[in-house]
Amino acid sequence: MRAIRYQPDRLELLDQTRLPHETVWLTCTTAEDVYRAIQAMQVRGAPAIGAAAAFGLALEARRLPAEEVRSRLPEVAAWMKTARPTAVNLMQAVDEVMSALDEAPRGAEADALYRRAVAIAERDIATNRRIGEVGAEWVARHGGRILTHCNTGSLATVEYGTALGVLRAMHAAGTLKHVYVDETRPYLQGARLTAYELKEEGIPFDILTDSTAGFAMKLGWIDAVVVGADRIAKNGDTANKIGTYSLAVLASYHGIPFYVAAPRTTLDLSMSSGDEIPIEERSADEVTHWFGRPVAPEGATARHLAFDVTPGHLITGIITEAGVALPPYEESLTRLFGGG
Ligand SMILES: CSC[C@H]1O[C@H](OP(=O)(O)O)[C@H](O)[C@@H]1O
């Protein structure tokens, strides 16, 4: 499954606000088209956001007058980084695609950025499959009944997924027994998107309301928890979808292994701890309304923190393409990926 399709002159995004009941593709031809799609969560998921932004800048390089690309694109790149604040993949991908500008022959900037964006997308897919291999072997030792949160599959990562990639690899190896999918209010990445991906592949699952997870652990349903990430600090503190922190506390209380699966591009080793990670707060309307229809009484207010930060000491291991990092993360992550 692909949620992002790319050509030199356009980027097509599967509108994730319409899934699972409608398949609507958005066609983007400018950086602004992509910026708006990221902000509206029509494309979402840390790696997918990064890849889309990279293609958005390549499109802008094609749209701008050739003689103005080098002077104007850096400003567009800085603006693109503000589309959403938490997923470090956005910032990393923008910097990576912009580095192609320095190396591009004059007059061929757009083609150079497009090639770099394609390289980012294809590398991410290969990385995801490696994370799946590493994670499947490691997590299976705990058992095959896995709880996951949000959506970390093809829809979040160009293809295959990170945490959901581990579950795909376990399913392929015959070690996955069942997936428990947190619905993940209010956007319902779990109930709408993860369920959509798992159903497509015949992987057995049940959706749980977010508030069921703790009791499911008490009932002995869960062998391990595997989630994704949007930014991981040097000490292993991990920003991820709101509700992840609660899952980690519950898993710790119940003695259940809790894993994060993420690529190098989600690590922010410049941050010493999760205290520095910017947490996106989205419109209260996304809580008080169900995709536009009012749920709460008129005038009700809400706080909508879109992410939380799980302290490294609650994380059993961080599954990456280079191996599984174990505490202490300051040492293990640096050993796997270097200083920064
Ligand atoms: C594989 S990264 C997916 C990551 O991104 C999600 O956030 P959002 O849906 O708001 O983009 C969530 O934190 C997932 O774990």
Side-chain angles (χ1 to χ4, degrees):
M1 168 192 296
R2 277 285 184 98
I4 296 178
R5 299 187 306 215
Y6 38 84
Q7 301 290 334
D9 64 348
R10 81 181 73 89
L11 176 70
E12 294 177 337
L13 301 173
L14 183 55
D15 184 345
Q16 298 189 35
T17 64
R18 310 288 287 270
L19 290 174
H21 304 300
E22 295 175 278
T23 301
V24 175
W25 286 90
L26 303 168
T27 299
C28 302
T29 56
T30 69
E32 182 170 5
D33 292 343
V34 175
Y35 181 96
R36 301 290 176 221
I38 291 171
Q39 273 206 324
M41 294 180 66
Q42 290 170 298
V43 58
R44 36 79 31 214
I49 291 171
F55 283 110
L57 290 166
L59 288 168
E60 197 68 9
R62 198 167 300 280
R63 186 188 73 85
L64 287 170
E67 67 278 7
E68 296 179 19
V69 172
R70 291 176 187 272
S71 60
R72 292 177 59 184
L73 204 60
E75 186 180 343
V76 178
W79 175 68
M80 184 67 81
K81 287 181 178 180
T82 67
R84 293 184 74 191
T86 305
V88 70
N89 310 65
L90 172 58
M91 295 72 186
Q92 304 232 42
V94 167
D95 290 343
E96 188 169 355
V97 77
M98 287 299 286
S99 67
L101 199 58
D102 305 333
E103 302 150 23
R106 291 205 172 273
E109 291 85 355
D111 290 340
L113 266 76
Y114 176 71
R115 284 195 300 273
R116 182 61 58 84
V118 172
I120 290 170
E122 293 179 350
R123 179 203 60 204
D124 284 1
I125 294 167
T127 297
N128 294 341
R129 291 188 177 277
R130 181 65 188 136
I131 291 171
E133 290 167 9
V134 170
E137 183 183 352
W138 191 281
V139 172
R141 68 187 63 184
H142 300 294
R145 300 169 303 159
I146 310 298
L147 173 71
T148 194
H149 191 65
C150 197
N151 172 259
T152 58
S154 296
L155 294 170
T157 64
V158 183
E159 189 176 279
Y160 198 72
T162 53
L164 202 52
V166 170
L167 304 189
R168 282 191 160 102
M170 289 178 73
H171 179 64
T175 57
L176 184 68
K177 290 181 184 154
H178 204 78
V179 183
Y180 290 97
V181 179
D182 274 355
E183 61 179 346
T184 318
R185 268 197 48 77
Y187 184 92
L188 300 181
Q189 289 95 329
R192 293 190 305 112
L193 306 179
T194 296
Y196 173 78
E197 291 198 44
L198 294 176
K199 193 164 185 304
E200 283 264 302
E201 293 181 29
I203 295 175
F205 70 96
D206 281 308
I207 298 168
L208 301 178
T209 64
D210 294 326
S211 46
T212 301
F215 197 52
M217 292 180 193
K218 183 183 186 301
L219 293 174
W221 293 4
I222 313 297
D223 295 317
V225 180
V226 184
V227 299
D230 291 78
R231 192 183 303 229
I232 303 172
K234 197 166 191 174
N235 68 348
D237 291 353
T238 296
N240 195 50
K241 184 50 49 195
I242 190 76
T244 304
Y245 171 61
S246 307
L247 281 182
V249 171
L250 286 164
S252 172
Y253 177 80
H254 289 284
I256 293 172
F258 182 92
Y259 288 98
V260 170
R264 164 74 184 85
T265 51
T266 304
L267 299 184
D268 185 349
L269 300 180
S270 71
M271 284 197 173
S272 55
S273 86
D275 297 343
E276 305 168 61
I277 299 175
I279 298 299
E280 179 183 16
E281 183 154 9
R282 295 182 64 86
S283 162
D285 285 354
E286 294 181 3
V287 175
T288 58
H289 292 67
W290 161 242
F291 285 87
R293 287 183 53 194
V295 173
E298 190 171 343
T301 57
R303 295 295 299 273
H304 181 197
L305 297 174
F307 299 93
D308 55 31
V309 177
T310 298
H313 69 80
L314 292 178
I315 300 172
T316 308
I318 299 175
I319 301 164
T320 78
E321 63 273 33
V324 179
L326 299 174
Y329 293 113
E330 290 87 343
E331 294 170 21
S332 58
L333 291 173
T334 304
R335 185 168 58 247
L336 284 177
F337 294 107

